[in-house]
Amino acid sequence: MKKIVLLSLLTLAACGTKQNTAQSKAANYDPIPYGNTITEAELKTHLYTYASDEFEGRNTGDAGQKKAVAYLRDEYKNLQIPAAQKDGDYFQKVPLQKGSNLHSELTINETEFTFAEDFVTFTSNTNGTTSIDEIVYLGYGIDDEKYSDYQGKDVDGKIVLIKVGEPKNAEGNYVITGSEENSMWSGNIRQEFGAKLTAAKENNVKGILFYVDEYYPRFKMQYEFVKKSSRISLKADESESFFYYMINDKLATAILPTIKDTAESRILNVNATLVNKDKSNDVDSENVVAIIKGSEKPEEYVVISAHLDHEGIKNGEIYNGADDDGSGTVAILEIAEAFKKAQEEGNGPKRSVVFLHVTGEEKGLLGSKYYTDNPIFPLENTVADLNIDMIGRIDPKRTEGNRNYVYLIGSDKLSSELHNISEEVNKKYSNIELDYTYNDENDPNRYYYRSDHYNFAKNNVPVIFYFNGTHDDYHRPSDTPDKINYDLLTNRTRLIFYTAWELANRDQRIAVDKVAK
Ligand SMILES: [Zn+2]
């Protein structure tokens, strides 16, 4: 048996190496001719259409946004670049809702409690009735290596009651910190809520009743605000049955009269019914996703993203959003065309390149949140996200330095290799001034958290955010195509193309060597 094996291995090796050299020769092929297919004229033509009044400012869920996604789909069809989804649909449906008309009814031991008055939530829960005969009281609901209310408790699929705060010892010091200083489990109600919610989910709890004591009026006010607002948000994931309610004194003491004085966990037998009747208005929207499959490592993905939506029409005025984010949108179309040309000439990328146009960015990074929660391609196979948001203008605050610049944000946060590659590629092909002013975590503008790359970074996918800074027309009807610096838009678009080319063709996938903060 062995011998045959040996023989075939040899031939394999021979042809393998022949193929590799051809490929690596092709892969190392000079990208400049393809970069040069990215032109001012084509960017301008696209942008004058995409940011024209006809698209009505592309407000999420509105007719203008529907025109925008149709335009993008048709462009990919013209370029013969296939849809990312297996069914050939370029649109990844993003279920949204306008406003919030949550409504629940809760009866505990024949006493009825009023939604918003006594208990409130901010996410729509699955509609229907839940009968509750047991509630597990878990004190503070903390799950920390130094102190845990969950340890040894059977809460799987159960409803738990918890309260604000954290334990103190006889000397009055916090048990977890061992000092007068509180830990992340109390003090800042938003952070505390986030931590306790995560702990409950990690322990597979069905739902939590969170007694927030003196903070309740604040949550009630927030709910009233959300209810009135026409805010658009992601619709609750029907498959997710987990729920949470902030509850007030009256309800908490009705379930456990001594709740203020004790943190000792126990099982409470109750006769309760919870009815959810969420009447929020559904808003249909979509991300547009296309792909050029890799020739050698098709299961590794370089994502290039931008948001397709903008502010729509306000007070009768159209917010064209030429820079925000028409510039990023048309940049991706030109980059896609360049990669397609390379593929047609046998120099296609080794790894797959995904062109991701997300919706709902102006409403809170909704489209990218939905994509990273429901990725078409596994995030663990996603090498990097190059996110483009506003690259067609000049920041008037930037008085020093070369006008041929771009702000880079996030390139060194998760992968030092990504940062170095970005620098090297720029030196080799573009020589744009890479400005890291806003890359500081403590930068008061917090741009790192304010565009779609952040949802990838949160999932440990290395990111680069390309941005030119704000300007006088930012989020104004005057952000129009005639104000765009097309030479700078072209330079920046080519830089992003060359960076994607390198990430898609280099032998080694870049390593994640840092943890996102
Ligand atoms: Zn934007």
Side-chain angles (χ1 to χ4, degrees), residues 307 309-310 324-325 361-362 389-390 451 474-475:
H307 68 91
D309 65 302
H310 192 52
D324 188 9
D325 189 18
E361 189 272 352
E362 304 288 5
D389 194 351
M390 300 173 60
S451 189
Y474 174 63
H475 278 215

Side-chain angles (χ1 to χ4, degrees), residues 415-422 506 508-513:
S415 167
S416 15
E417 263 186 310
L418 178 61
H419 180 75
N420 300 337
I421 289 165
S422 165
R506 62 191 280 107
Q508 290 307 317
R509 171 182 173 172
I510 56 167
V512 176
D513 58 355

Side-chain angles (χ1 to χ4, degrees), residues 140-151 176 184-185 195-196 198-200 202-203:
Y140 301 106
I142 292 172
D143 199 6
D144 191 282
E145 58 201 21
K146 295 237 180 70
Y147 172 91
S148 174
D149 289 302
Y150 284 88
Q151 199 142 51
I176 292 170
M184 65 168 214
W185 295 94
K196 290 182 176 178
T198 308
E202 280 166 2
N203 285 279

